[in-house]
Amino acid sequence: MFYSLGFAFGLSLLLGAASAGTPATDGRIVGGMQVSTIGEFPYQASVQLNGQHICGGAVIGDHFVLTAAHCFEALEPWSVLDYSVRVGSSEHATGGHLLSLQQIIPHGGYNPQSHDNDLALLILNARLNFTEQLQAVPLASAQERPTPGTRLLVSGWGFQSEEAAAEQQIDAGSGSGAGVASILRYVDVDHVDIGQCRLAYRRVLPITQGMLCAARAGHDSCQGDSGGPLVGFQEDGRATLYGIVSWGLGCANPDYPGVYTSVAAFRRWIDAQVGAWGWNALLGGWSGVQ
Ligand code: ARG
């Protein structure tokens, strides 16, 4: 599946500009994140709890958003009615479309201690109409890893520094919407070999087959980016969803890469959930029961 030429062209301009000598970063952290518009990341979604941005997400179909399971561990017991998703907007707080959810399907094996199986499929209450600002991103196929020539971008409204994230935690109770960026941002990162990533985290947590690591000096995702898309772009602008922002020790810490849920590793699970929903919708239609 290809994006519109407009998007591919816009992106190559943006990538071109980034490689043409823009200062790499302003020191550590996600401060290196560039401001962007939704037209360049039309698959980006904001997952919201009681109207506050809590996580990113990726539009993967006209009824589906993929995000992290840990986005739903905050309040328990929670109701699907407390959550919504904004799509098609560069701002998480306004614009685009705000949709309610029909169902939240966290992976059954999600483990909050190990962060293993950190993904959830959201089923939207309405069918999305795709536009230049709103597109689904194709999923990595099972076993597919980013190739060396692939440009990896992670986008989101998350904290722009680890310090900001820490301060926000001290201010607990002020609601998760505060402190995150109002305009969508992105950074370039590089795929980190799983062996190297295991070594980095050897005293912290196991890096499993279901995880993928990415890092670049001064560039990282951070709190509030969770659930958001790590996408690989080929030179022709073709996009593939490889990862979901999951966890890391600090943000842009040179010793600890960002850890992402590997979409390739869960491709079968995702297909099965989407397929089951399709069958239910079809059967619901036949029996007249919605
Ligand atoms: N768990 C964080 C969240 O809830 C995402 C952390 C990503 N960390 C990193 N260093 N890449 O938003």
PDB file of all heavy atoms in Angstrom, residues 245-284:
ATOM      1  N   VAL A 245       5.536   2.355  20.794  1.00  0.00           N
ATOM      2  CA  VAL A 245       6.321   2.874  21.921  1.00  0.00           C
ATOM      3  C   VAL A 245       5.890   2.149  23.190  1.00  0.00           C
ATOM      4  O   VAL A 245       4.701   2.124  23.526  1.00  0.00           O
ATOM      5  CB  VAL A 245       6.110   4.401  22.101  1.00  0.00           C
ATOM      6  CG1 VAL A 245       6.906   4.904  23.314  1.00  0.00           C
ATOM      7  CG2 VAL A 245       6.495   5.160  20.836  1.00  0.00           C
ATOM      8  N   SER A 246       6.854   1.540  23.898  1.00  0.00           N
ATOM      9  CA  SER A 246       6.492   0.746  25.066  1.00  0.00           C
ATOM     10  C   SER A 246       7.193   1.219  26.340  1.00  0.00           C
ATOM     11  O   SER A 246       6.549   1.659  27.270  1.00  0.00           O
ATOM     12  CB  SER A 246       6.767  -0.729  24.793  1.00  0.00           C
ATOM     13  OG  SER A 246       6.457  -1.515  25.924  1.00  0.00           O
ATOM     14  N   TRP A 247       8.511   1.132  26.403  1.00  0.00           N
ATOM     15  CA  TRP A 247       9.196   1.513  27.647  1.00  0.00           C
ATOM     16  C   TRP A 247      10.670   1.847  27.413  1.00  0.00           C
ATOM     17  O   TRP A 247      11.170   1.731  26.294  1.00  0.00           O
ATOM     18  CB  TRP A 247       9.063   0.411  28.703  1.00  0.00           C
ATOM     19  CG  TRP A 247       9.696  -0.906  28.343  1.00  0.00           C
ATOM     20  CD1 TRP A 247       9.178  -1.856  27.508  1.00  0.00           C
ATOM     21  CD2 TRP A 247      10.960  -1.402  28.787  1.00  0.00           C
ATOM     22  NE1 TRP A 247      10.051  -2.915  27.416  1.00  0.00           N
ATOM     23  CE2 TRP A 247      11.150  -2.666  28.199  1.00  0.00           C
ATOM     24  CE3 TRP A 247      11.951  -0.900  29.642  1.00  0.00           C
ATOM     25  CZ2 TRP A 247      12.304  -3.451  28.426  1.00  0.00           C
ATOM     26  CZ3 TRP A 247      13.095  -1.674  29.875  1.00  0.00           C
ATOM     27  CH2 TRP A 247      13.251  -2.939  29.267  1.00  0.00           C
ATOM     28  N   GLY A 248      11.336   2.250  28.469  1.00  0.00           N
ATOM     29  CA  GLY A 248      12.758   2.557  28.403  1.00  0.00           C
ATOM     30  C   GLY A 248      13.184   3.003  29.783  1.00  0.00           C
ATOM     31  O   GLY A 248      12.340   3.352  30.605  1.00  0.00           O
ATOM     32  N   LEU A 249      14.503   2.984  30.043  1.00  0.00           N
ATOM     33  CA  LEU A 249      14.990   3.498  31.317  1.00  0.00           C
ATOM     34  C   LEU A 249      15.355   4.955  31.077  1.00  0.00           C
ATOM     35  O   LEU A 249      16.315   5.250  30.373  1.00  0.00           O
ATOM     36  CB  LEU A 249      16.193   2.685  31.781  1.00  0.00           C
ATOM     37  CG  LEU A 249      16.532   2.837  33.259  1.00  0.00           C
ATOM     38  CD1 LEU A 249      15.390   2.347  34.138  1.00  0.00           C
ATOM     39  CD2 LEU A 249      17.795   2.057  33.590  1.00  0.00           C
ATOM     40  N   GLY A 250      14.565   5.867  31.595  1.00  0.00           N
ATOM     41  CA  GLY A 250      14.731   7.278  31.279  1.00  0.00           C
ATOM     42  C   GLY A 250      14.361   7.531  29.830  1.00  0.00           C
ATOM     43  O   GLY A 250      13.744   6.680  29.185  1.00  0.00           O
ATOM     44  N   CYS A 251      14.717   8.685  29.323  1.00  0.00           N
ATOM     45  CA  CYS A 251      14.469   9.007  27.917  1.00  0.00           C
ATOM     46  C   CYS A 251      15.751   9.544  27.303  1.00  0.00           C
ATOM     47  O   CYS A 251      16.411  10.395  27.907  1.00  0.00           O
ATOM     48  CB  CYS A 251      13.378  10.065  27.783  1.00  0.00           C
ATOM     49  SG  CYS A 251      11.801   9.609  28.524  1.00  0.00           S
ATOM     50  N   ALA A 252      16.134   9.044  26.166  1.00  0.00           N
ATOM     51  CA  ALA A 252      17.366   9.426  25.468  1.00  0.00           C
ATOM     52  C   ALA A 252      18.603   9.228  26.339  1.00  0.00           C
ATOM     53  O   ALA A 252      19.585   9.948  26.195  1.00  0.00           O
ATOM     54  CB  ALA A 252      17.286  10.872  24.958  1.00  0.00           C
ATOM     55  N   ASN A 253      18.534   8.260  27.243  1.00  0.00           N
ATOM     56  CA  ASN A 253      19.711   7.910  28.038  1.00  0.00           C
ATOM     57  C   ASN A 253      20.664   7.153  27.113  1.00  0.00           C
ATOM     58  O   ASN A 253      20.267   6.149  26.519  1.00  0.00           O
ATOM     59  CB  ASN A 253      19.264   7.030  29.211  1.00  0.00           C
ATOM     60  CG  ASN A 253      20.404   6.694  30.147  1.00  0.00           C
ATOM     61  OD1 ASN A 253      21.528   6.451  29.702  1.00  0.00           O
ATOM     62  ND2 ASN A 253      20.118   6.684  31.425  1.00  0.00           N
ATOM     63  N   PRO A 254      21.914   7.636  26.968  1.00  0.00           N
ATOM     64  CA  PRO A 254      22.808   7.008  25.992  1.00  0.00           C
ATOM     65  C   PRO A 254      23.050   5.517  26.264  1.00  0.00           C
ATOM     66  O   PRO A 254      23.410   4.773  25.350  1.00  0.00           O
ATOM     67  CB  PRO A 254      24.106   7.817  26.110  1.00  0.00           C
ATOM     68  CG  PRO A 254      23.965   8.666  27.326  1.00  0.00           C
ATOM     69  CD  PRO A 254      22.510   8.787  27.650  1.00  0.00           C
ATOM     70  N   ASP A 255      22.843   5.088  27.513  1.00  0.00           N
ATOM     71  CA  ASP A 255      23.087   3.678  27.845  1.00  0.00           C
ATOM     72  C   ASP A 255      21.879   2.781  27.622  1.00  0.00           C
ATOM     73  O   ASP A 255      22.016   1.558  27.642  1.00  0.00           O
ATOM     74  CB  ASP A 255      23.519   3.555  29.311  1.00  0.00           C
ATOM     75  CG  ASP A 255      24.809   4.300  29.584  1.00  0.00           C
ATOM     76  OD1 ASP A 255      25.662   4.351  28.669  1.00  0.00           O
ATOM     77  OD2 ASP A 255      24.949   4.856  30.701  1.00  0.00           O
ATOM     78  N   TYR A 256      20.691   3.390  27.447  1.00  0.00           N
ATOM     79  CA  TYR A 256      19.485   2.576  27.364  1.00  0.00           C
ATOM     80  C   TYR A 256      18.602   2.969  26.183  1.00  0.00           C
ATOM     81  O   TYR A 256      17.956   4.015  26.204  1.00  0.00           O
ATOM     82  CB  TYR A 256      18.687   2.695  28.674  1.00  0.00           C
ATOM     83  CG  TYR A 256      19.457   2.189  29.871  1.00  0.00           C
ATOM     84  CD1 TYR A 256      20.063   3.070  30.759  1.00  0.00           C
ATOM     85  CD2 TYR A 256      19.585   0.815  30.088  1.00  0.00           C
ATOM     86  CE1 TYR A 256      20.773   2.604  31.853  1.00  0.00           C
ATOM     87  CE2 TYR A 256      20.300   0.347  31.179  1.00  0.00           C
ATOM     88  CZ  TYR A 256      20.893   1.242  32.057  1.00  0.00           C
ATOM     89  OH  TYR A 256      21.599   0.779  33.130  1.00  0.00           O
ATOM     90  N   PRO A 257      18.537   2.113  25.174  1.00  0.00           N
ATOM     91  CA  PRO A 257      17.698   2.401  24.003  1.00  0.00           C
ATOM     92  C   PRO A 257      16.210   2.451  24.376  1.00  0.00           C
ATOM     93  O   PRO A 257      15.800   1.937  25.421  1.00  0.00           O
ATOM     94  CB  PRO A 257      17.951   1.208  23.069  1.00  0.00           C
ATOM     95  CG  PRO A 257      19.161   0.524  23.589  1.00  0.00           C
ATOM     96  CD  PRO A 257      19.263   0.845  25.047  1.00  0.00           C
ATOM     97  N   GLY A 258      15.408   3.044  23.513  1.00  0.00           N
ATOM     98  CA  GLY A 258      13.961   2.985  23.654  1.00  0.00           C
ATOM     99  C   GLY A 258      13.498   1.583  23.273  1.00  0.00           C
ATOM    100  O   GLY A 258      14.044   0.967  22.354  1.00  0.00           O
ATOM    101  N   VAL A 259      12.531   1.047  24.015  1.00  0.00           N
ATOM    102  CA  VAL A 259      12.044  -0.303  23.716  1.00  0.00           C
ATOM    103  C   VAL A 259      10.615  -0.212  23.172  1.00  0.00           C
ATOM    104  O   VAL A 259       9.773   0.501  23.733  1.00  0.00           O
ATOM    105  CB  VAL A 259      12.110  -1.224  24.946  1.00  0.00           C
ATOM    106  CG1 VAL A 259      11.790  -2.663  24.544  1.00  0.00           C
ATOM    107  CG2 VAL A 259      13.491  -1.155  25.612  1.00  0.00           C
ATOM    108  N   TYR A 260      10.389  -0.926  22.086  1.00  0.00           N
ATOM    109  CA  TYR A 260       9.120  -0.887  21.358  1.00  0.00           C
ATOM    110  C   TYR A 260       8.541  -2.286  21.279  1.00  0.00           C
ATOM    111  O   TYR A 260       9.288  -3.265  21.226  1.00  0.00           O
ATOM    112  CB  TYR A 260       9.369  -0.351  19.934  1.00  0.00           C
ATOM    113  CG  TYR A 260       9.887   1.068  19.928  1.00  0.00           C
ATOM    114  CD1 TYR A 260      11.228   1.357  20.208  1.00  0.00           C
ATOM    115  CD2 TYR A 260       9.030   2.132  19.687  1.00  0.00           C
ATOM    116  CE1 TYR A 260      11.701   2.668  20.245  1.00  0.00           C
ATOM    117  CE2 TYR A 260       9.480   3.450  19.713  1.00  0.00           C
ATOM    118  CZ  TYR A 260      10.817   3.705  19.995  1.00  0.00           C
ATOM    119  OH  TYR A 260      11.268   4.998  20.038  1.00  0.00           O
ATOM    120  N   THR A 261       7.226  -2.388  21.264  1.00  0.00           N
ATOM    121  CA  THR A 261       6.594  -3.670  20.991  1.00  0.00           C
ATOM    122  C   THR A 261       6.775  -3.935  19.504  1.00  0.00           C
ATOM    123  O   THR A 261       6.515  -3.059  18.678  1.00  0.00           O
ATOM    124  CB  THR A 261       5.091  -3.604  21.333  1.00  0.00           C
ATOM    125  OG1 THR A 261       4.978  -3.140  22.672  1.00  0.00           O
ATOM    126  CG2 THR A 261       4.431  -4.960  21.184  1.00  0.00           C
ATOM    127  N   SER A 262       7.253  -5.129  19.157  1.00  0.00           N
ATOM    128  CA  SER A 262       7.502  -5.464  17.755  1.00  0.00           C
ATOM    129  C   SER A 262       6.193  -5.862  17.061  1.00  0.00           C
ATOM    130  O   SER A 262       5.564  -6.853  17.416  1.00  0.00           O
ATOM    131  CB  SER A 262       8.516  -6.613  17.678  1.00  0.00           C
ATOM    132  OG  SER A 262       8.454  -7.203  16.392  1.00  0.00           O
ATOM    133  N   VAL A 263       5.809  -5.084  16.079  1.00  0.00           N
ATOM    134  CA  VAL A 263       4.571  -5.368  15.337  1.00  0.00           C
ATOM    135  C   VAL A 263       4.701  -6.690  14.574  1.00  0.00           C
ATOM    136  O   VAL A 263       3.769  -7.494  14.521  1.00  0.00           O
ATOM    137  CB  VAL A 263       4.236  -4.183  14.395  1.00  0.00           C
ATOM    138  CG1 VAL A 263       3.135  -4.541  13.411  1.00  0.00           C
ATOM    139  CG2 VAL A 263       3.858  -2.959  15.225  1.00  0.00           C
ATOM    140  N   ALA A 264       5.885  -6.936  14.023  1.00  0.00           N
ATOM    141  CA  ALA A 264       6.110  -8.179  13.279  1.00  0.00           C
ATOM    142  C   ALA A 264       5.862  -9.391  14.180  1.00  0.00           C
ATOM    143  O   ALA A 264       5.227 -10.368  13.769  1.00  0.00           O
ATOM    144  CB  ALA A 264       7.537  -8.207  12.731  1.00  0.00           C
ATOM    145  N   ALA A 265       6.332  -9.307  15.427  1.00  0.00           N
ATOM    146  CA  ALA A 265       6.192 -10.439  16.348  1.00  0.00           C
ATOM    147  C   ALA A 265       4.729 -10.704  16.687  1.00  0.00           C
ATOM    148  O   ALA A 265       4.366 -11.839  17.009  1.00  0.00           O
ATOM    149  CB  ALA A 265       6.991 -10.172  17.624  1.00  0.00           C
ATOM    150  N   PHE A 266       3.898  -9.675  16.635  1.00  0.00           N
ATOM    151  CA  PHE A 266       2.484  -9.836  17.006  1.00  0.00           C
ATOM    152  C   PHE A 266       1.557  -9.772  15.806  1.00  0.00           C
ATOM    153  O   PHE A 266       0.346  -9.622  15.960  1.00  0.00           O
ATOM    154  CB  PHE A 266       2.097  -8.777  18.050  1.00  0.00           C
ATOM    155  CG  PHE A 266       2.767  -9.024  19.367  1.00  0.00           C
ATOM    156  CD1 PHE A 266       3.870  -8.292  19.747  1.00  0.00           C
ATOM    157  CD2 PHE A 266       2.313 -10.036  20.204  1.00  0.00           C
ATOM    158  CE1 PHE A 266       4.516  -8.538  20.955  1.00  0.00           C
ATOM    159  CE2 PHE A 266       2.939 -10.299  21.415  1.00  0.00           C
ATOM    160  CZ  PHE A 266       4.045  -9.544  21.784  1.00  0.00           C
ATOM    161  N   ARG A 267       2.122  -9.879  14.609  1.00  0.00           N
ATOM    162  CA  ARG A 267       1.301  -9.725  13.409  1.00  0.00           C
ATOM    163  C   ARG A 267       0.139 -10.721  13.397  1.00  0.00           C
ATOM    164  O   ARG A 267      -0.995 -10.394  13.047  1.00  0.00           O
ATOM    165  CB  ARG A 267       2.195  -9.895  12.165  1.00  0.00           C
ATOM    166  CG  ARG A 267       1.474  -9.733  10.850  1.00  0.00           C
ATOM    167  CD  ARG A 267       0.887  -8.318  10.728  1.00  0.00           C
ATOM    168  NE  ARG A 267      -0.175  -8.296   9.733  1.00  0.00           N
ATOM    169  CZ  ARG A 267      -0.005  -7.980   8.459  1.00  0.00           C
ATOM    170  NH1 ARG A 267       1.188  -7.622   8.015  1.00  0.00           N
ATOM    171  NH2 ARG A 267      -1.014  -8.010   7.619  1.00  0.00           N
ATOM    172  N   ARG A 268       0.398 -11.954  13.832  1.00  0.00           N
ATOM    173  CA  ARG A 268      -0.664 -12.970  13.818  1.00  0.00           C
ATOM    174  C   ARG A 268      -1.762 -12.624  14.815  1.00  0.00           C
ATOM    175  O   ARG A 268      -2.940 -12.772  14.515  1.00  0.00           O
ATOM    176  CB  ARG A 268      -0.093 -14.360  14.080  1.00  0.00           C
ATOM    177  CG  ARG A 268       0.161 -15.068  12.764  1.00  0.00           C
ATOM    178  CD  ARG A 268       0.730 -16.468  12.939  1.00  0.00           C
ATOM    179  NE  ARG A 268       1.942 -16.558  12.132  1.00  0.00           N
ATOM    180  CZ  ARG A 268       3.171 -16.589  12.620  1.00  0.00           C
ATOM    181  NH1 ARG A 268       3.389 -16.593  13.923  1.00  0.00           N
ATOM    182  NH2 ARG A 268       4.198 -16.641  11.808  1.00  0.00           N
ATOM    183  N   TRP A 269      -1.373 -12.162  15.984  1.00  0.00           N
ATOM    184  CA  TRP A 269      -2.357 -11.766  17.004  1.00  0.00           C
ATOM    185  C   TRP A 269      -3.227 -10.631  16.464  1.00  0.00           C
ATOM    186  O   TRP A 269      -4.449 -10.665  16.583  1.00  0.00           O
ATOM    187  CB  TRP A 269      -1.643 -11.330  18.293  1.00  0.00           C
ATOM    188  CG  TRP A 269      -2.595 -10.961  19.395  1.00  0.00           C
ATOM    189  CD1 TRP A 269      -3.174 -11.803  20.288  1.00  0.00           C
ATOM    190  CD2 TRP A 269      -3.097  -9.650  19.692  1.00  0.00           C
ATOM    191  NE1 TRP A 269      -4.009 -11.099  21.132  1.00  0.00           N
ATOM    192  CE2 TRP A 269      -3.981  -9.777  20.790  1.00  0.00           C
ATOM    193  CE3 TRP A 269      -2.887  -8.376  19.147  1.00  0.00           C
ATOM    194  CZ2 TRP A 269      -4.659  -8.684  21.362  1.00  0.00           C
ATOM    195  CZ3 TRP A 269      -3.550  -7.298  19.704  1.00  0.00           C
ATOM    196  CH2 TRP A 269      -4.425  -7.456  20.802  1.00  0.00           C
ATOM    197  N   ILE A 270      -2.586  -9.631  15.850  1.00  0.00           N
ATOM    198  CA  ILE A 270      -3.331  -8.468  15.330  1.00  0.00           C
ATOM    199  C   ILE A 270      -4.314  -8.931  14.254  1.00  0.00           C
ATOM    200  O   ILE A 270      -5.501  -8.586  14.279  1.00  0.00           O
ATOM    201  CB  ILE A 270      -2.363  -7.396  14.757  1.00  0.00           C
ATOM    202  CG1 ILE A 270      -1.415  -6.881  15.848  1.00  0.00           C
ATOM    203  CG2 ILE A 270      -3.143  -6.243  14.123  1.00  0.00           C
ATOM    204  CD1 ILE A 270      -0.222  -6.082  15.333  1.00  0.00           C
ATOM    205  N   ASP A 271      -3.832  -9.741  13.314  1.00  0.00           N
ATOM    206  CA  ASP A 271      -4.701 -10.230  12.230  1.00  0.00           C
ATOM    207  C   ASP A 271      -5.876 -11.023  12.789  1.00  0.00           C
ATOM    208  O   ASP A 271      -7.003 -10.909  12.312  1.00  0.00           O
ATOM    209  CB  ASP A 271      -3.908 -11.107  11.253  1.00  0.00           C
ATOM    210  CG  ASP A 271      -2.954 -10.286  10.399  1.00  0.00           C
ATOM    211  OD1 ASP A 271      -3.025  -9.036  10.442  1.00  0.00           O
ATOM    212  OD2 ASP A 271      -2.128 -10.897   9.691  1.00  0.00           O
ATOM    213  N   ALA A 272      -5.614 -11.822  13.815  1.00  0.00           N
ATOM    214  CA  ALA A 272      -6.684 -12.647  14.393  1.00  0.00           C
ATOM    215  C   ALA A 272      -7.747 -11.763  15.041  1.00  0.00           C
ATOM    216  O   ALA A 272      -8.949 -12.012  14.883  1.00  0.00           O
ATOM    217  CB  ALA A 272      -6.105 -13.623  15.417  1.00  0.00           C
ATOM    218  N   GLN A 273      -7.335 -10.718  15.763  1.00  0.00           N
ATOM    219  CA  GLN A 273      -8.310  -9.830  16.415  1.00  0.00           C
ATOM    220  C   GLN A 273      -9.149  -9.089  15.385  1.00  0.00           C
ATOM    221  O   GLN A 273     -10.364  -8.972  15.515  1.00  0.00           O
ATOM    222  CB  GLN A 273      -7.614  -8.794  17.319  1.00  0.00           C
ATOM    223  CG  GLN A 273      -6.735  -9.372  18.404  1.00  0.00           C
ATOM    224  CD  GLN A 273      -7.434 -10.440  19.215  1.00  0.00           C
ATOM    225  OE1 GLN A 273      -8.581 -10.272  19.605  1.00  0.00           O
ATOM    226  NE2 GLN A 273      -6.755 -11.541  19.442  1.00  0.00           N
ATOM    227  N   VAL A 274      -8.459  -8.564  14.365  1.00  0.00           N
ATOM    228  CA  VAL A 274      -9.163  -7.817  13.310  1.00  0.00           C
ATOM    229  C   VAL A 274     -10.125  -8.755  12.587  1.00  0.00           C
ATOM    230  O   VAL A 274     -11.272  -8.398  12.318  1.00  0.00           O
ATOM    231  CB  VAL A 274      -8.135  -7.183  12.329  1.00  0.00           C
ATOM    232  CG1 VAL A 274      -8.801  -6.689  11.061  1.00  0.00           C
ATOM    233  CG2 VAL A 274      -7.381  -6.048  13.020  1.00  0.00           C
ATOM    234  N   GLY A 275      -9.675  -9.979  12.333  1.00  0.00           N
ATOM    235  CA  GLY A 275     -10.509 -10.970  11.636  1.00  0.00           C
ATOM    236  C   GLY A 275     -11.736 -11.322  12.458  1.00  0.00           C
ATOM    237  O   GLY A 275     -12.858 -11.363  11.942  1.00  0.00           O
ATOM    238  N   ALA A 276     -11.547 -11.544  13.764  1.00  0.00           N
ATOM    239  CA  ALA A 276     -12.658 -11.918  14.643  1.00  0.00           C
ATOM    240  C   ALA A 276     -13.689 -10.795  14.674  1.00  0.00           C
ATOM    241  O   ALA A 276     -14.896 -11.037  14.638  1.00  0.00           O
ATOM    242  CB  ALA A 276     -12.145 -12.193  16.055  1.00  0.00           C
ATOM    243  N   TRP A 277     -13.207  -9.564  14.702  1.00  0.00           N
ATOM    244  CA  TRP A 277     -14.130  -8.430  14.720  1.00  0.00           C
ATOM    245  C   TRP A 277     -14.953  -8.409  13.418  1.00  0.00           C
ATOM    246  O   TRP A 277     -16.158  -8.200  13.439  1.00  0.00           O
ATOM    247  CB  TRP A 277     -13.372  -7.104  14.875  1.00  0.00           C
ATOM    248  CG  TRP A 277     -14.308  -5.949  14.876  1.00  0.00           C
ATOM    249  CD1 TRP A 277     -14.985  -5.447  15.942  1.00  0.00           C
ATOM    250  CD2 TRP A 277     -14.727  -5.193  13.743  1.00  0.00           C
ATOM    251  NE1 TRP A 277     -15.790  -4.420  15.547  1.00  0.00           N
ATOM    252  CE2 TRP A 277     -15.658  -4.234  14.200  1.00  0.00           C
ATOM    253  CE3 TRP A 277     -14.403  -5.224  12.380  1.00  0.00           C
ATOM    254  CZ2 TRP A 277     -16.271  -3.317  13.349  1.00  0.00           C
ATOM    255  CZ3 TRP A 277     -15.012  -4.315  11.531  1.00  0.00           C
ATOM    256  CH2 TRP A 277     -15.936  -3.378  12.020  1.00  0.00           C
ATOM    257  N   GLY A 278     -14.277  -8.664  12.300  1.00  0.00           N
ATOM    258  CA  GLY A 278     -14.960  -8.683  11.001  1.00  0.00           C
ATOM    259  C   GLY A 278     -16.081  -9.713  10.975  1.00  0.00           C
ATOM    260  O   GLY A 278     -17.194  -9.434  10.545  1.00  0.00           O
ATOM    261  N   TRP A 279     -15.787 -10.910  11.501  1.00  0.00           N
ATOM    262  CA  TRP A 279     -16.790 -11.967  11.525  1.00  0.00           C
ATOM    263  C   TRP A 279     -17.961 -11.593  12.421  1.00  0.00           C
ATOM    264  O   TRP A 279     -19.114 -11.792  12.065  1.00  0.00           O
ATOM    265  CB  TRP A 279     -16.192 -13.294  11.994  1.00  0.00           C
ATOM    266  CG  TRP A 279     -15.454 -13.972  10.892  1.00  0.00           C
ATOM    267  CD1 TRP A 279     -14.096 -14.126  10.795  1.00  0.00           C
ATOM    268  CD2 TRP A 279     -16.017 -14.562   9.714  1.00  0.00           C
ATOM    269  NE1 TRP A 279     -13.788 -14.759   9.628  1.00  0.00           N
ATOM    270  CE2 TRP A 279     -14.938 -15.052   8.945  1.00  0.00           C
ATOM    271  CE3 TRP A 279     -17.314 -14.710   9.237  1.00  0.00           C
ATOM    272  CZ2 TRP A 279     -15.130 -15.680   7.710  1.00  0.00           C
ATOM    273  CZ3 TRP A 279     -17.511 -15.341   8.005  1.00  0.00           C
ATOM    274  CH2 TRP A 279     -16.423 -15.821   7.269  1.00  0.00           C
ATOM    275  N   ASN A 280     -17.651 -11.011  13.583  1.00  0.00           N
ATOM    276  CA  ASN A 280     -18.722 -10.598  14.495  1.00  0.00           C
ATOM    277  C   ASN A 280     -19.619  -9.558  13.847  1.00  0.00           C
ATOM    278  O   ASN A 280     -20.845  -9.615  13.971  1.00  0.00           O
ATOM    279  CB  ASN A 280     -18.141 -10.024  15.790  1.00  0.00           C
ATOM    280  CG  ASN A 280     -17.584 -11.118  16.663  1.00  0.00           C
ATOM    281  OD1 ASN A 280     -17.997 -12.273  16.532  1.00  0.00           O
ATOM    282  ND2 ASN A 280     -16.650 -10.778  17.530  1.00  0.00           N
ATOM    283  N   ALA A 281     -19.006  -8.608  13.150  1.00  0.00           N
ATOM    284  CA  ALA A 281     -19.769  -7.541  12.506  1.00  0.00           C
ATOM    285  C   ALA A 281     -20.687  -8.149  11.450  1.00  0.00           C
ATOM    286  O   ALA A 281     -21.859  -7.792  11.333  1.00  0.00           O
ATOM    287  CB  ALA A 281     -18.828  -6.529  11.872  1.00  0.00           C
ATOM    288  N   LEU A 282     -20.137  -9.108  10.720  1.00  0.00           N
ATOM    289  CA  LEU A 282     -20.883  -9.759   9.636  1.00  0.00           C
ATOM    290  C   LEU A 282     -22.054 -10.555  10.204  1.00  0.00           C
ATOM    291  O   LEU A 282     -23.199 -10.435   9.760  1.00  0.00           O
ATOM    292  CB  LEU A 282     -19.916 -10.689   8.899  1.00  0.00           C
ATOM    293  CG  LEU A 282     -20.153 -10.931   7.431  1.00  0.00           C
ATOM    294  CD1 LEU A 282     -20.209  -9.604   6.682  1.00  0.00           C
ATOM    295  CD2 LEU A 282     -19.006 -11.772   6.874  1.00  0.00           C
ATOM    296  N   LEU A 283     -21.772 -11.343  11.240  1.00  0.00           N
ATOM    297  CA  LEU A 283     -22.821 -12.154  11.859  1.00  0.00           C
ATOM    298  C   LEU A 283     -23.882 -11.250  12.492  1.00  0.00           C
ATOM    299  O   LEU A 283     -25.079 -11.513  12.372  1.00  0.00           O
ATOM    300  CB  LEU A 283     -22.221 -13.084  12.922  1.00  0.00           C
ATOM    301  CG  LEU A 283     -21.324 -14.181  12.345  1.00  0.00           C
ATOM    302  CD1 LEU A 283     -20.563 -14.879  13.461  1.00  0.00           C
ATOM    303  CD2 LEU A 283     -22.144 -15.181  11.539  1.00  0.00           C
ATOM    304  N   GLY A 284     -23.407 -10.164  13.128  1.00  0.00           N
ATOM    305  CA  GLY A 284     -24.328  -9.202  13.731  1.00  0.00           C
ATOM    306  C   GLY A 284     -25.280  -8.668  12.681  1.00  0.00           C
ATOM    307  O   GLY A 284     -26.486  -8.567  12.917  1.00  0.00           O
TER     308      GLY A 284
END
